[in-house]
Amino acid sequence: MKGIKLLALFLFSTAFFSFTPLKKKYIVIDAGHGGNDSGVVYGEFSEKDISLKIAKKIQKISENQSRYEIILTRNTDSPSSLSERTAQINRLSPEMVISLHVNRSPQKETPNQGTEIFVQNSEQSKKLAGKISGKLNARTIEGRNLHILRETRSPAVLIELGFINNTRDREYMTSEKGQQEIAQKFVEVFNEY
């Protein structure tokens, strides 16, 4: 009788656990700026719009996979403070946080070009930056005392996707093709991480 009870318990628990859905991991994409905070601007192009379009593309490309869920800190042109964003991120406790931004140098047109990645003082953040750098061919990876990096408890990186006042970077970041390629590279990082 004891053997039958054990067998029944084993069969029940096997059936129960085989139908328990796996918990998805969260990846937070923080589209920098928003609302009346445009970030850097060049002509008709603004950092807040570029970062949001790429964030939405990352989410769209990832919607049919089951390993993780992309959460955006904003999905409209709405303002939220850095404190509100980091509080939201820390409540979710995601696997990683990617904060998207666009760079600018003081001169009108700059020869500076390419992606820069800023990291927390943690090995996980540096490892994530290394993976992203491999896809985006970053010109630099360095530590920086920025609110989103300092106050976020999950591994986080802040990425300057390119220089808005460099013609080549600007044309790439603002084109449909460029934004799609950038988004796809992030998704590849997530899938390989």
Side-chain angles (χ1 to χ4, degrees):
M1 189 68 172
K2 190 175 183 181
I4 293 172
K5 285 182 180 178
L6 284 175
L7 179 61
L9 180 62
F10 172 77
L11 292 174
F12 172 77
S13 62
T14 302
F16 178 78
F17 288 114
S18 66
F19 292 111
T20 303
L22 295 174
K23 184 180 177 194
K24 277 190 179 181
K25 297 175 181 177
Y26 294 123
I27 296 174
V28 171
I29 307 296
D30 173 50
H33 305 280
N36 57 3
D37 178 7
S38 296
V40 298
V41 176
Y42 190 97
E44 67 199 72
F45 302 111
S46 68
E47 180 176 8
K48 69 175 184 174
D49 294 333
I50 295 168
S51 65
L52 182 59
K53 285 177 182 176
I54 293 170
K56 285 181 165 184
K57 287 182 187 320
I58 292 169
Q59 188 177 48
K60 178 80 172 148
I61 294 169
S62 300
E63 68 186 358
N64 291 325
Q65 57 73 45
S66 60
R67 291 181 49 226
Y68 56 85
E69 182 179 346
I70 300 292
I71 307 289
L72 304 182
T73 55
R74 68 181 180 97
N75 57 14
T76 62
D77 184 19
S78 57
S80 64
S81 72
L82 288 171
S83 297
E84 290 169 332
R85 289 179 193 207
T86 51
Q88 174 190 5
I89 290 165
N90 289 334
R91 276 192 301 275
L92 286 170
S93 190
E95 286 292 301
M96 65 182 81
V97 179
I98 310 292
S99 187
L100 301 177
H101 292 266
V102 175
N103 219 337
R104 182 180 178 100
S105 62
Q107 59 270 56
K108 182 171 171 51
E109 180 70 21
T110 184
N112 294 337
Q113 187 178 357
T115 303
E116 295 180 340
I117 304 175
F118 300 110
V119 297
Q120 297 164 311
N121 188 20
S122 77
E123 287 309 309
Q124 288 179 304
S125 178
K126 292 172 187 171
K127 178 183 172 190
L128 177 58
K131 297 271 187 195
I132 294 167
S133 179
K135 296 290 181 183
L136 297 178
N137 196 25
R139 61 194 298 252
T140 61
I141 299 175
E142 62 183 75
R144 188 68 65 90
N145 185 19
L146 301 168
H147 182 92
I148 197 92
L149 300 176
R150 186 179 61 249
E151 300 301 323
T152 298
R153 292 191 294 262
S154 298
V157 295
L158 184 144
I159 299 161
E160 298 281 2
L161 295 164
F163 287 82
I164 201 166
N165 59 327
N166 174 285
T167 301
R168 190 168 166 192
D169 276 2
R170 182 176 60 256
E171 287 176 353
Y172 185 67
M173 289 185 297
T174 60
S175 72
E176 178 67 28
K177 179 179 185 276
Q179 291 176 355
Q180 191 69 24
E181 286 177 3
I182 293 167
Q184 183 61 47
K185 288 175 183 179
F186 278 108
V187 172
E188 290 169 11
V189 169
F190 305 154
N191 290 335
E192 294 168 10
Y193 195 72

